[in-house]
Amino acid sequence: MGEIAQIPLQEAPSKADSGIVEVDYAAEKKLVRKLDLYIIPVVMLLYLLSFLDRVNIGNARLYGMEADLGLTGNKYQIAVALLFVTYITSELPSNLVLKKFRPSRWISAITMLWGIIATLTGVTQNYGELIACRILLGLVEGGLFPGLAVYLTFFYTKRELALRIGYLFVSAALAGACGGLFAYGIGFMAGVAGLRGWRWIMIIEGLPTFCLGVASWFLLADDPQTAYYLNPAEKALMNARRARQLGQTVSAQEMHKQDVLLGLRDWKIYAFCAAQFGGDTMLYGYSTFLPTIIASIGHWTTAQVQALTIPCYVLGAITYLVVARLSDRQQLRGVYCVIFGFISVVGYGILLADASPGVHYFGCFVVALGLYVVVGIPLAWLPSNQPRYGKRTTATGLQLMIGNTSGIMAPFLYETAEGPRYIKGHAVTLAMVGYAACVYGLMWWYFARENQRRKDGREDSRIAGMTEEEIAELGDRNPRYIFTI
């Protein structure tokens, strides 16, 4: 029998009858490994294919798309940007209906739909048809990442969340690193069945998405209690894990209109949204300028340029996984957002310098150190401080919706004519990342200050005259609740 921990009533008010929550830590460790085995590979594949289908237009551009569809002037940039218009507007509504339509069914349905649309993009014949496909692609794909981020909170505690969200960013890094090489290989199919290479890129990268959407209908569970891979003892342990977290009552895990409204009125959520916009500006711009900088170093083939982007993405992904593990163990988020945000600022300073291409390539590595940390850690930090489902799903939806609006701006920050220096793009991104780091620093200070006030009892007047059950339902407004900083 593993070590049993007894958690005091204050940390588990839902167990008022016994006063404690008993957790077998050895069994819990085994349970988390099992959750990782059944959940993580599926969500990683879903996000990897999502990222590929969203950005493969950049690779298709190299294989004749512009000529075939008459993409003159800034039509290409418009096609890229318009996807994000519907992408961002669908994120919050998608999160709000996630439980109503069941996560396994909803995620599967939107995956199959965007797989069909991504595949059909390969048979478009003109600019108008391309725009229609991009708008529809954004509409159905926008709900995936916020849905996955909330889905992970159904199974993992706040001490495990940053690392699991980190796996999604590893998928994005893999897509960024290998997407160009996939496109290069598929490009050799030009002429097969009379189709240009760019059409085969769209078709072949879209079909696996549809197949995964069908599979996820059966592979994803809706919640721990309906998980086919958990036995009764493991389901009971999942309940104990949730009860151990203050504010995670049974009622709190249901959708309540009042929780949604509280989320829409919480200034802290909007502070995170504004900072996420700054971090996402870096995320979307990075993949745009990286190949151009590498191409300017020497006389590389397209395949060699794509291969040389891989070390940057690998460094970013490894850095994030290390930081995420430390962040989960220490329950510290803000300090890492600030430190690695300013590391990326230094990287953009190097990119702005009038230096050799080799120095600029080094600057890309420095930017990569903070790339996924600044974007990813806040996506675990905000929901970790929202024990009530309705407010948590609203917070994550808003955070990603507002953050991803930077995807509309990014193509115009890094216009082709301004390469390879991209002075405007680097300068704006430097300012945005610096601003995001400062906001996260302020939130770090605020949460630490609020925690101290609560520990000192200066907020206890809020619960005067309330029953224990009423106090437990207050969520993050409960003076006993301690924020992750």
Side-chain angles (χ1 to χ4, degrees):
M1 187 72 172
E3 179 185 355
I4 300 291
Q6 295 188 343
I7 287 71
L9 174 61
Q10 180 173 335
E11 296 182 32
S14 61
K15 293 288 184 179
D17 292 340
S18 63
I20 57 175
V21 176
E22 292 188 350
V23 175
D24 182 339
Y25 280 131
E28 183 179 25
K29 190 174 181 180
K30 182 179 178 181
L31 172 63
V32 172
R33 287 198 299 267
K34 189 172 188 179
L35 293 174
D36 287 343
L37 178 64
Y38 281 91
I39 296 173
I40 298 303
V42 180
V43 299
M44 285 186 68
L45 271 175
L46 282 167
Y47 193 59
L48 185 148
L49 293 179
S50 164
F51 200 88
L52 274 180
D53 289 338
R54 193 162 69 248
V55 303
N56 62 9
I57 189 172
N59 294 315
R61 186 186 189 188
L62 303 174
Y63 293 90
M65 171 185 270
E66 287 180 301
D68 283 1
L69 301 183
L71 304 185
T72 57
N74 64 351
K75 286 183 177 180
Y76 169 79
Q77 281 78 13
I78 292 173
V80 172
L82 278 179
L83 175 139
F84 287 97
V85 175
T86 50
Y87 187 95
I88 61 178
T89 54
S90 66
E91 288 181 303
L92 178 58
S94 177
N95 260 20
L96 295 179
V97 301
L98 181 66
K99 271 197 171 182
K100 180 178 177 62
F101 293 117
R102 299 177 54 185
S104 62
R105 303 300 185 253
W106 182 251
I107 292 172
S108 172
I110 62 175
T111 302
M112 286 188 283
L113 284 172
W114 103 61
I116 292 170
I117 296 166
T119 303
L120 292 178
T121 305
V123 297
T124 53
Q125 300 299 317
N126 54 56
Y127 179 58
E129 292 177 3
L130 175 65
I131 291 297
C133 283
R134 296 292 290 178
I135 290 173
L136 290 173
L137 185 63
L139 184 65
V140 297
E141 194 177 342
L144 180 73
F145 190 91
L148 293 179
V150 170
Y151 181 76
L152 291 174
T153 68
F154 297 167
F155 296 88
Y156 295 100
T157 69
K158 62 194 298 183
R159 293 185 175 274
E160 301 156 353
L161 191 58
L163 182 61
R164 274 69 195 184
I165 286 181
Y167 292 139
L168 299 181
F169 284 95
V170 170
S171 297
L174 287 172
C178 302
L181 291 177
F182 290 157
Y184 179 76
I186 297 171
F188 285 108
M189 292 183 64
V192 175
L195 299 178
R196 293 273 292 241
W198 73 268
R199 296 188 183 278
W200 282 117
I201 290 172
M202 295 293 189
I203 293 169
I204 291 179
E205 291 187 0
L207 287 173
T209 301
F210 177 80
C211 296
L212 182 60
V214 174
S216 62
W217 183 284
F218 306 99
L219 295 174
L220 292 177
D222 293 319
D223 53 52
Q225 297 312 306
T226 60
Y228 61 90
Y229 45 81
L230 296 180
N231 60 43
E234 290 167 333
K235 291 178 180 179
L237 181 53
M238 290 294 293
N239 288 336
R241 278 159 51 84
R242 185 166 295 284
R244 187 174 57 190
Q245 301 178 85
L246 188 63
Q248 298 268 6
T249 65
V250 174
S251 175
Q253 303 319 305
E254 301 299 325
M255 174 65 81
H256 298 287
K257 180 180 178 181
Q258 184 62 28
D259 290 331
V260 175
L261 294 176
L262 286 171
L264 293 173
R265 294 196 296 259
D266 192 336
W267 70 268
K268 299 187 295 296
I269 292 174
Y270 289 101
F272 272 89
C273 292
Q276 192 73 36
F277 180 90
D280 284 359
T281 300
M282 171 170 59
L283 178 68
Y284 289 115
Y286 190 74
S287 60
T288 301
F289 69 76
L290 183 60
T292 306
I293 289 177
I294 293 172
S296 68
I297 296 174
H299 301 290
W300 310 109
T301 65
T302 301
Q304 289 171 328
V305 168
Q306 297 293 353
L308 287 170
T309 66
I310 293 176
C312 296
Y313 288 112
V314 169
L315 177 64
I318 291 174
T319 302
Y320 180 86
L321 289 178
V322 171
V323 171
R325 184 174 289 275
L326 288 173
S327 176
D328 276 343
R329 286 182 177 177
Q330 299 169 345
Q331 282 299 279
L332 295 174
R333 312 292 196 202
V335 60
Y336 293 112
C337 293
V338 173
I339 291 173
F340 284 87
F342 283 111
I343 287 175
S344 288
V345 166
V346 171
Y348 279 103
I350 295 171
L351 290 170
L352 283 168
D354 187 10
S356 67
V359 172
H360 288 159
Y361 186 42
F362 170 74
C364 293
F365 280 94
V366 179
V367 171
L369 284 171
L371 177 63
Y372 296 118
V373 175
V374 176
V375 174
I377 291 293
L379 293 173
W381 189 6
L382 181 56
S384 292
N385 285 330
Q386 308 296 334
R388 296 189 65 84
Y389 171 73
K391 191 174 181 184
R392 181 169 69 245
T393 195
T394 302
T396 299
L398 281 172
Q399 184 182 22
L400 286 161
M401 181 179 76
I402 293 175
N404 281 327
T405 56
S406 61
I408 301 174
M409 175 178 67
F412 300 98
L413 284 179
Y414 289 95
E415 296 186 63
T416 306
E418 297 178 3
R421 291 294 307 281
Y422 294 119
I423 298 295
K424 178 183 71 178
H426 293 333
V428 171
T429 307
L430 182 152
M432 296 302 294
V433 176
Y435 144 80
C438 290
V439 172
Y440 290 133
L442 286 172
M443 296 310 299
W444 175 23
W445 169 82
Y446 170 80
F447 284 136
R449 172 180 170 273
E450 186 66 15
N451 285 347
Q452 192 59 53
R453 287 178 57 86
R454 294 182 176 196
K455 289 177 182 177
D456 294 342
R458 285 182 280 176
E459 301 293 329
D460 288 350
S461 59
R462 295 184 186 179
I463 57 175
M466 298 178 67
T467 65
E468 285 296 321
E469 289 75 15
E470 290 171 334
I471 295 170
E473 297 295 342
L474 289 175
D476 63 304
R477 296 176 296 149
N478 185 345
R480 301 172 184 173
Y481 184 86
I482 299 301
F483 291 107
T484 301
I485 62 171

